[in-house]
Amino acid sequence: MSGKTGRNIAAQAQPERVMLVGVMLDKDGTGSSAARLNGFQTALAEAVELVKAAGGDPVIVETAKRERPHTALFVGTGKAAELSEAVAADGIDLVVFNHELTPTQERNLEKELKCRVLDRVGLILAIFARRARTQEGRLQVELAQLSHLAGRLIRGYGHLQSQRGGIGMKGPGETKLETDRRLIAHRINALKKQLANLKKQRALRRKSRESGTIKTFALVGYTNVGKSSLFNRLTKSGIYAKDQLFATLDTTARRLYISPECSIILTDTVGFVSDLPHKLISAFSATLEETAQADVLLHVVDAAAPNSGQQIEDVENVLREIHAGDIPCIKVYNKTDLLPSEEQNTGIWRDAAGKIAAVRISVAENTGIDALREAIAESCAAAPNTDETEMP
């Protein structure tokens, strides 16, 4: 191996040095200044974990406050100049904004900072691309990436739109942009057709399942709350589960025996996150369809998360968007072992009508699992409608 080749491999093995930028806008959050600041810091801490999940090294975290985003640069000219100096001084490879940027903002920032710029949508897509394992998962990720890129091509080169009919813009003289746009559109259509075929196949499998009396329970929840670990604990499976954001992307289903009177299909799929981009929800509609078709939802919550209430709200917003908001739901509060000792009690919690509303468990300590199985068995006969969001 030559010295040059060895250096190239070593360089490729090093994670990209990432600067993360968060801007606290006046429109963000509600409540007191302290509450808004706490929410902003929590979102920024989550963004750091997203960068790590994408394989980056978040060496710098920069923050700013603005009344509203700057039209051209999001952060404004002064802050952009400050970021540019930091990029050069610290050898930054990539700047990630924990916001959704317009194509114009992204392009202007790259010129100003002299390095690649990625917004929150692009960051989540990068993670999805690393994690998708099944054919359908990879197709969905590619569709979302191309849809995101197509918007950048079309809007990023908006100054050419008025010249489409001009001299030299057709035939042999047409721009590379037009060729790229056409190739992307062709690939997007091909992907949609492949996903439509997979959707038909899944519908046939679901129809076969529904021909019997077996019910489907879907694990839903914020990313990294322990859904896949719980799935493995209940079904004795070995699906990928790790303490990181978006560890699981692809839907997995297993038959789960509860009792002689109750067997179910348990499904596990991608976790949700705050401000989940609409284009991702659209691209993953085939996967999320499994959630929307479930008989009962098991909404797994990180009981120890300081912002668990906000995470619950974020998940419920996505559930409504995919038309799963009215499905009977049982909240499963996981990670009780991380709570103060006096709050680590596990078991079933019932509402005023005596129906099961929540179950407290710890997958890590294997406590409360029997109570959850009892709750599932009870729901096999009649799924309760539980709208409570407060932690018992």
Side-chain angles (χ1 to χ4, degrees):
M1 178 185 297
S2 70
K4 183 177 181 180
T5 302
R7 287 193 297 272
N8 288 341
I9 293 175
Q12 291 171 4
Q14 293 295 321
E16 285 188 297
R17 293 174 61 81
V18 179
M19 173 193 287
L20 176 65
V21 180
V23 181
M24 188 172 178
L25 302 170
D26 286 355
K27 67 179 181 62
D28 292 340
T30 57
S32 65
S33 297
R36 291 179 63 247
L37 179 60
N38 181 64
F40 173 72
Q41 292 173 337
T42 299
L44 207 56
E46 179 181 88
V48 168
E49 295 305 313
L50 286 172
V51 170
K52 293 178 181 178
D57 179 14
V59 296
I60 304 177
V61 177
E62 289 280 350
T63 61
K65 291 183 67 176
R66 286 187 63 85
E67 180 180 351
R68 64 178 65 88
H70 188 276
T71 304
L73 294 166
F74 198 90
V75 290
T77 54
K79 186 65 178 180
E82 181 184 325
L83 295 179
S84 180
E85 292 177 3
V87 166
D90 290 277
I92 298 300
D93 303 304
L94 172 68
V95 176
V96 172
F97 278 71
N98 192 33
H99 309 272
E100 186 167 356
L101 301 174
T102 67
T104 299
Q105 289 168 340
E106 193 170 296
R107 186 176 67 255
N108 289 342
L109 283 165
E110 288 187 340
K111 290 179 180 178
E112 180 72 22
L113 305 182
K114 296 180 176 59
C115 75
R116 289 195 306 120
V117 173
L118 208 59
D119 68 356
R120 181 180 174 85
V121 179
L123 178 63
I124 294 177
L125 282 171
I127 299 171
F128 279 23
R130 287 168 61 94
R131 300 285 167 74
R133 290 174 172 79
T134 66
Q135 178 195 14
E136 185 169 32
R138 289 192 293 268
L139 291 174
Q140 289 174 134
V141 169
E142 186 180 354
L143 174 59
Q145 287 180 315
L146 288 177
S147 297
H148 187 60
L149 177 59
R152 259 68 188 147
L153 281 176
I154 295 168
R155 296 175 61 189
Y157 291 84
H159 62 285
L160 294 178
Q161 299 301 308
S162 61
Q163 301 177 25
R164 284 188 177 182
I167 297 172
M169 297 300 291
K170 294 294 180 182
E174 74 176 356
T175 65
K176 184 177 184 298
L177 170 64
E178 294 295 331
T179 303
D180 290 344
R181 184 185 292 113
R182 193 162 56 246
L183 289 173
I184 288 176
H186 178 75
R187 181 58 181 163
I188 285 175
N189 288 334
L191 288 169
K192 287 181 176 179
K193 289 179 181 178
Q194 291 181 66
L195 287 169
N197 289 332
L198 289 172
K199 180 178 180 180
K200 290 179 182 177
Q201 295 172 19
R202 189 170 50 255
L204 289 174
R205 291 195 297 270
R206 186 185 303 118
K207 186 175 181 180
S208 177
R209 290 204 308 257
E210 292 173 349
S211 62
T213 59
I214 193 164
K215 289 190 174 183
T216 298
F217 284 59
L219 292 170
V220 300
Y222 209 80
T223 183
N224 204 32
V225 295
K227 296 186 304 300
S228 296
S229 296
L230 176 58
F231 183 89
N232 286 340
R233 177 75 71 180
L234 287 170
T235 64
K236 296 180 173 58
S237 300
I239 67 170
Y240 185 74
K242 194 172 182 180
D243 184 18
Q244 59 184 202
L245 302 182
F246 296 119
T248 302
L249 271 191
D250 302 303
T251 297
T252 305
R254 295 286 188 276
R255 185 158 182 162
L256 175 62
Y257 173 86
I258 298 294
S259 69
E261 296 78 26
C262 175
S263 287
I264 66 168
I265 297 293
L266 185 66
T267 64
D268 179 36
T269 187
V270 62
F272 303 147
V273 70
S274 62
D275 301 320
L276 189 66
H278 290 281
K279 58 172 62 85
L280 294 186
I281 296 176
S282 175
F284 278 77
S285 60
T287 298
L288 296 174
E289 187 182 68
E290 291 293 324
T291 298
Q293 296 293 332
D295 296 296
V296 181
L297 302 180
L298 299 177
H299 181 172
V300 185
V301 179
D302 182 349
N307 61 331
S308 60
Q310 182 60 52
Q311 291 184 356
I312 289 173
E313 184 178 336
D314 290 334
V315 171
E316 291 178 342
N317 286 339
V318 177
L319 290 176
R320 282 191 289 270
E321 189 163 345
I322 64 174
H323 309 295
D326 295 328
I327 297 175
C329 179
I330 297 174
K331 297 219 172 40
V332 181
Y333 289 92
N334 185 30
K335 304 188 182 183
T336 55
D337 56 297
L338 301 181
L339 294 171
S341 56
E342 66 273 13
E343 299 177 24
Q344 292 185 9
N345 56 305
T346 59
I348 294 175
W349 180 78
R350 296 177 182 272
D351 62 17
K355 295 180 179 180
I356 296 173
V359 184
R360 293 167 57 93
I361 69 169
S362 167
V363 174
E365 299 294 326
N366 197 25
T367 56
I369 303 301
D370 287 340
L372 177 57
R373 291 176 65 91
E374 179 184 337
I376 292 173
E378 187 171 319
S379 297
C380 274
N385 187 3
T386 57
D387 294 326
E388 290 79 7
T389 59
E390 296 298 322
M391 179 175 172

